[in-house]
Amino acid sequence: GEKRIFSRPSAKLPNGTDYTEQLPHIVAALPDDWDNYLADGELFTGSWGETMHLARTSPTSLPPEERMKLKGLLFDFVDLEQVERAGCDPTPLFRRRQVVEDVAKKSNGVFTPVESRIISDPEELDAYYREMLEQGLEGLILKDPKSGYYPRRKRAWMKLKPTATSEGIVAGFTPGIGKHEGRLGACILDWNGEKVKCGGGFKDKQRDWIWAHQQQTVGAPLEFVYQPDNVAKARFLRFKRFRFDMMPDATVMVGFPK
């Protein structure tokens, strides 16, 4: 059947971006005799830092000879017909993992299965987690090996990543899109001499209040949780609270919903 490569959907690009023509070697390494399947994975190249730089740009920004060096890190193989009919692929993860490994073996080095390990002991999990962080990776995803695939979050899959907390000063705002149209999208913060966006962690009523009270909110100290990153310095910022105790006049924020 036809084989195509798309980036992950986003609010701005709900259908993703088609990179089929730009990555012919990746397309050629996918199975020819499978219909209506999704290969879930990511592109990678060289070091983790180089891969993160690629993630913030686009494969099309690379010259053709550099694009041909890109490899595919395979996470999962999913039966889309099952997902469309039943809302999930009930095939247990450990069986889908066997498919991933078989496809990678036949790809002449184009695909690599994402590393996985069966762990049942908390101390072993902690040691493995620290080992991955020392290698410069961002953390782990814990999965029930008997779980099916769902196109939405389920308790059978959990992220395990390090986080840190910091404060920035609200300097501006971006409008919401999609379900947040007409309210706050993100607060723009002055943080360590840089401008960063904090768009996660807000309740809808908080987004509404901030969007309606922008003048009062500018200059407010905002505490956020983030994922440290040696490349970007701070990723995945999530609102924690406003630091009213650090404001000369906290009365300007009276009415901000909890």
Side-chain angles (χ1 to χ4, degrees), residues 2 55-56 60 81 90 127:
E2 184 182 22
R56 296 184 181 90
T60 57
E81 187 174 332

Side-chain angles (χ1 to χ4, degrees), residues 60-223:
T60 57
S61 66
L62 300 174
E65 63 273 14
E66 291 298 319
R67 288 203 297 270
M68 293 301 293
K69 297 178 183 178
L70 296 176
K71 306 294 183 182
L73 187 64
L74 283 183
F75 301 153
D76 213 333
F77 256 81
V78 182
D79 186 337
L80 287 180
E81 187 174 332
Q82 291 266 27
V83 173
E84 292 167 359
R85 184 175 64 247
C88 72
D89 181 349
T91 307
L93 174 61
F94 70 89
R95 294 196 184 280
R96 303 198 312 274
R97 172 70 185 185
Q98 291 173 352
V99 176
V100 167
E101 293 177 353
D102 289 343
V103 170
K105 287 178 182 177
K106 299 174 182 178
S107 70
N108 294 319
V110 174
F111 292 128
T112 299
V114 67
E115 182 178 340
S116 67
R117 184 181 299 184
I118 300 295
I119 293 177
S120 56
D121 179 79
E123 293 184 1
E124 182 183 1
L125 172 61
D126 183 66
Y128 185 49
Y129 172 60
R130 294 180 184 279
E131 177 186 339
M132 294 299 100
L133 295 181
E134 289 172 0
Q135 292 183 20
L137 302 181
E138 59 182 31
L140 299 174
I141 297 182
L142 311 182
K143 300 181 179 182
D144 180 348
K146 298 180 181 179
S147 65
Y149 177 90
Y150 292 81
R152 57 189 181 278
R153 293 185 180 181
K154 300 289 286 186
R155 291 185 62 83
W157 292 17
M158 298 177 61
K159 292 182 179 180
L160 184 60
K161 296 182 179 182
T163 59
T165 302
S166 189
E167 292 100 21
I169 303 299
V170 177
F173 313 92
T174 63
I177 57 177
K179 69 176 183 179
H180 294 311
E181 186 174 357
R183 56 164 66 112
L184 175 74
C187 287
I188 302 172
L189 308 178
D190 284 324
W191 179 70
N192 292 344
E194 301 181 24
K195 289 286 193 300
V196 296
K197 292 182 181 180
C198 178
F202 294 100
K203 298 176 182 177
D204 288 350
K205 59 185 179 180
Q206 293 173 332
R207 293 181 185 275
D208 291 333
W209 192 94
I210 293 172
W211 197 242
H213 299 82
Q214 296 182 35
Q215 185 175 355
Q216 295 98 305
T217 310
V218 168
L222 184 152
E223 184 175 357

Side-chain angles (χ1 to χ4, degrees), residues 41-58:
E42 291 185 357
L43 298 174
F44 73 95
T45 176
S47 68
W48 173 245
E50 291 171 333
T51 299
M52 289 309 303
H53 174 72
L54 172 66
R56 296 184 181 90
T57 55
S58 164

